[in-house]
Amino acid sequence: TPLLEPQSSPTSNAVASTPSSAPTTHRRLLAWVSEVVELTQPADVRWCDGSDAEWDELTAELIASGTLVQLDPQAKPNSFYARTDPSDVARVEDRTFICSVDPADAGPTNNWMDPTQMKSVMTDLYRGSMRGRTMYVVPFCMGPIDAEHPMFGVEITDSAYVAVSMKIMTRMGAEPLAAMTANGDADFVPCLHSVGAPLEPGQSDVPWPCSDTKYITHFPEERLIWSYGSGYGGNSLLGKKCYSLRIASVIGRDEGWLAEHMLILKLISPAGRAYHIAAAFPSACGKTNLAMIQPTIPGWRVETLGDDIAWMRFGADGRLYATNPEYGLFGVAPGTGWGTNPNAMRTIDRGNSLFTNVALTDHGDVWWEGISEVTPPHLADWRGNSWVPGEATTPAAHPNSRFCTPIRQCPILSSDYDNPAGVPIDAIIFGGRRKTTVPLVTQARDWQHGVFMGATLSSETTAAATGAVGVVRRDPMAMLPFIGYHAGDYFGHWLEVGKQHDAANLPAVFYVNWFRRSADGGFLWPGFGENSRVLKWVIERIEGKAAAVETPIGYAPTAGSLDVTGLDITEAEVAAALEVDVDEWRAELPLIEDWFAQIGDKVPTELLTELDVLRGRLGG
Ligand code: GTP
Ligand code: SPV
Ligand code: MN
């Protein structure tokens, strides 16, 4: 089926479609590129090969156009800084659409528009939208290229910033392109992106072109992605959230696997036993930090496999195996420092990174809140304004400023990172950011209860998406903005994969909250490296060693079973962090009821049963 309506007609200033100069014979790809050229009318077409020479050329062009600033090579070799348009700083959930044929398939948690209508609206926007710009054709593969079924994509974009970011975030360029062709013109997910800012002859460019009109659109039946108007990561690096979560969750539903918003880590106990944990926390709620944790407790070691996305399939042995489809880290900058996340600092200090919307020092290095104890006497803030500590009234770095850095530079990357078979998951941890109610850690009674925990997960909104910050909402499995189909069907899928496998092989499920506050407003739990104490309890539960008490919401650590040796907090503070407050949970019940009512009659009966059980245990 044609991916674009044939109504577009070539105009004189469009380049001729370029199959002759294209470095591939892949027919569907060539046809699609020709269609997009005809529609968007770029001044030039560049097929990205992912080489270092190409990176050098594109970053030089981006410096010339004012999009990038080269950082001091002594501090950050081969690294660059970008300042976005102040309006284009985060994912736009209200502009994100799941255009399934049947609106019922998008469900109540997604925006929906009829796919034909959406294509017509967006085709009008794309018509001529790349005038005066280069169109980049960016072949990529999510996950290892030597996987049994490599997951190819091709992003067409008119943003060189996107092209260079894709080199960091995905396996990109000549290699995946050759593999696509070698695999008999393999299927790929077409990802069309335009910043929506055509340049007329003589018109000068701006440092961060974008449009006030934004659409982040998914056509799940066609496995197709169209994005328009934004250059920001989650809206424009289409291999990430759009492909690896929204489209992949639909593929996973159809094929019996899970695409999840999860970090993956390997934890090695003092006895030398290795475990793998996958953890789902909403955006800006601690995945990157936990993925790279430096444990504070003696003898425990962590290796990183992924910090944002996990694809999980059951193996022949009935266990759940996880892979990380990504190739880089797109991490929240503020709060990242030597004291909190030293492994992230080591990763970015190796260079080859892009930084967006952080602050700049007078010496050409990056800075953000939490990177160091000392604040430089003068900075340029994320808007480019002069910033002096004590005088400034706003943060120097945008709260959603990001580093984009190759995962291979992570000093604790696991040797299994490239293994297409993935790693067997022993525990799944759900978590959120809640000032109250949700204790430091509890364990689900079984898979069904674990799915209930995930399905009712709640968290305060963060700066990772536009809109209000700090508002408690349900964020099921940390996937609210990323489920590519009906949330009720998604819960059913989680239950179903559990039923299909031996309970003894399923990961144990836990629920954590690093963000509970005391009456004076401070965090009750020190977090970061100290979270290794919670990981230790998780492993000791799996090993049958750690004690627990049964509470209305699951198993909780007994007073002595959480290792707090050497921790500088009082017993009362630990108890407050761990407390299951029945009154707070009774107040949570109507919120969960409302949430399930919102999902409607597709809420699996198993979850309604779990809700009844919870209500009963709370005596409500
Ligand atoms: P996305 O990339 O948006 O998906 O975010 P993420 O889930 O990877 O979150 P990340 O690890 O980047 O952390 C987000 C913010 O929470 C940062 O400012 C961190 O410093 C902070 N943070 C992470 N872990 C902890 C913790 O254990 N305690 C506290 N208090 N803050 C934390
Ligand atoms: C998130 O918001 O969950 C992120 C950053 O990981 S983005 O890629 O922008 O979605
Ligand atoms: Mn994320």
Side-chain angles (χ1 to χ4, degrees), residues 3 75 82 111 118 128 228 245 247 267 277 317 343-344 371 393 430 464 469 496 522 532 607 617:
L3 301 177
N111 300 307
M118 179 61 92
Y228 181 91
L245 289 178
I247 294 295
L267 181 61
I277 295 177
D317 60 358
N343 288 316
I371 195 176
T393 54
F430 294 117
V469 168
E496 187 56 34
S532 57
L607 299 189
R617 286 174 187 242

Side-chain angles (χ1 to χ4, degrees), residues 41 56 60 87-88 104 147 226 320 366 382 442 456 489 494 551 566:
Q41 302 169 28
D56 292 344
S87 69
D88 197 23
W226 283 6
L320 186 59
V366 290
W382 71 274
T442 48
T456 58
D489 290 335
W494 266 82
T551 78

Side-chain angles (χ1 to χ4, degrees), residues 91 232 240-241 261 263 281-291 307-308 330-337 340-341 369 399-400 402-403 433 462 464 482 514-515 523 525-529 531:
R91 282 184 295 100
Y232 167 77
K240 195 173 175 49
K241 295 304 166 48
H261 193 200
L263 68 95
F281 310 154
S283 302
C285 292
K287 288 181 302 302
T288 302
N289 277 265
L290 189 65
D307 83 319
D308 199 53
F330 187 62
V332 175
T336 307
T340 53
N341 191 351
E369 282 71 17
N400 191 40
R402 299 260 166 181
F403 55 82
R433 180 186 286 268
T462 66
F482 308 121
W514 313 145
F515 301 94
F523 291 111
W525 178 252
F528 303 104
N531 294 333

Side-chain angles (χ1 to χ4, degrees), residues 90-135:
R91 282 184 295 100
V92 283
E93 295 181 0
D94 56 331
R95 304 302 307 159
T96 300
F97 293 82
I98 301 295
C99 294
S100 47
V101 172
D102 183 346
D105 289 332
T109 61
N110 286 305
N111 300 307
W112 179 86
M113 198 193 282
D114 172 76
T116 309
Q117 189 192 344
M118 179 61 92
K119 281 192 176 173
S120 150
V121 168
M122 290 189 74
T123 298
D124 283 346
L125 290 169
Y126 283 131
R127 187 167 294 116
S129 76
M130 296 191 187
R131 273 200 312 271
R133 298 193 182 279
T134 297
M135 185 182 106

